[in-house]
Amino acid sequence: MLELIRAGGWPMIPLLLLSGLALGIIVERFWSLRPSRVLPPGLGDEVRAWVARGKPLEVAHIDSLRSTSPLGALLAAALDVRMRSREEIRERVEDVGRHLVHRMERFLNTLGTIASAGPLLGLFGTVVGMIEMFLGILDHGIGDASQLAGGIGKALVCTAAGMLVAIPALAFHRYFRGRIAGYIVDMEHEAIRLMDVLDAPAGSPAPAPAPAPARAATPKKR
């Protein structure tokens, strides 16, 4: 591996830096986007049961919910405006949801940039290798096969390194985007279920009284 890096020359330095940065982003996103951190199991059911009991919701409890996870922050946003109309609650949830999506997509633009820049840097290394090869031909003629091999080898190594950096970065970029999209659907579902519970006490009609059972007519005694 070290020999290949040396054969690639100085254009391998930015490729190595990009590969290290991409690896760090991938590890960090795997840690930050794990399901237990974004969608804690049972949190939605716990909040709905908490609201359905009809007890006063304290600000400290809502703030504690907001700090647990992105799902908790979304549900806390709905509880902040629970006394308003359903449309206003939906607007607040959508506004907070956009901020949460931006937070979950942190560093993904950088990972996408690495996926795009890797092949370009590999192509740049290829061009540098070809230039050095033709300069060697200019100085030593075509008879020096080692000079030709060195230039061609540098070009091929840089091209391969650029692809090795770009392909995993692109694959994980798409993977994290898909995972975030799935989280968004699940969070919207939990928010809608919470809004249904919030609407139930005030919006559900009172049950009609059951009709009295009809009494059978008893025959009159003569």
Side-chain angles (χ1 to χ4, degrees):
M1 182 63 68
L2 291 176
E3 292 179 358
L4 290 176
I5 294 174
R6 291 172 182 172
W10 64 266
M12 291 289 293
I13 297 176
L15 287 173
L16 291 175
L17 294 176
L18 287 182
S19 64
L21 180 60
L23 180 61
I25 292 175
I26 291 170
V27 172
E28 190 275 338
R29 287 292 87 190
F30 263 118
W31 177 260
S32 299
L33 295 177
R34 63 190 190 275
S36 61
R37 184 181 180 90
V38 180
L39 298 172
L43 180 62
D45 295 333
E46 181 181 352
V47 173
R48 286 190 296 273
W50 181 26
V51 173
R53 285 195 294 265
K55 296 181 179 181
L57 302 178
E58 298 181 0
V59 178
H61 291 168
I62 298 177
D63 292 338
S64 177
L65 173 65
R66 183 179 291 108
S67 61
T68 57
S69 61
L71 176 60
L74 193 68
L75 298 180
L79 295 178
D80 286 336
V81 292
R82 60 189 179 276
M83 304 304 295
R84 301 181 185 179
S85 64
R86 185 183 180 93
E87 189 63 28
E88 291 177 334
I89 296 176
R90 182 184 294 274
E91 291 178 359
R92 174 63 66 86
V93 169
E94 290 177 353
D95 291 339
V96 175
R98 283 191 291 268
H99 291 284
L100 293 175
V101 170
H102 179 73
R103 189 185 307 171
M104 287 190 291
E105 290 181 348
R106 183 184 181 188
F107 300 135
L108 289 189
N109 286 335
T110 303
L111 192 62
T113 302
I114 293 173
S116 301
L120 295 177
L121 287 174
L123 179 61
F124 175 73
T126 301
V127 173
V128 171
M130 298 299 292
I131 291 175
E132 291 183 356
M133 183 183 67
F134 284 111
L135 290 178
I137 293 174
L138 182 62
D139 294 336
H140 303 91
I142 302 178
D144 192 352
S146 62
Q147 190 72 23
L148 292 175
I152 295 174
K154 179 178 293 188
L156 295 177
V157 167
C158 291
T159 302
M163 295 176 66
L164 287 176
V165 172
I167 292 174
L170 179 61
F172 281 106
H173 178 267
R174 292 185 178 272
Y175 169 75
F176 289 131
R177 288 284 180 133
R179 173 177 282 193
I180 292 173
Y183 285 154
I184 293 171
V185 173
D186 293 338
M187 291 167 64
E188 288 179 351
H189 179 66
E190 294 291 339
I192 291 174
R193 295 179 66 185
L194 178 60
M195 285 189 286
D196 292 338
V197 175
L198 291 173
D199 284 344
S204 58
R215 295 181 179 180
T218 56
K220 296 181 179 179
K221 295 181 180 180
R222 294 183 180 178

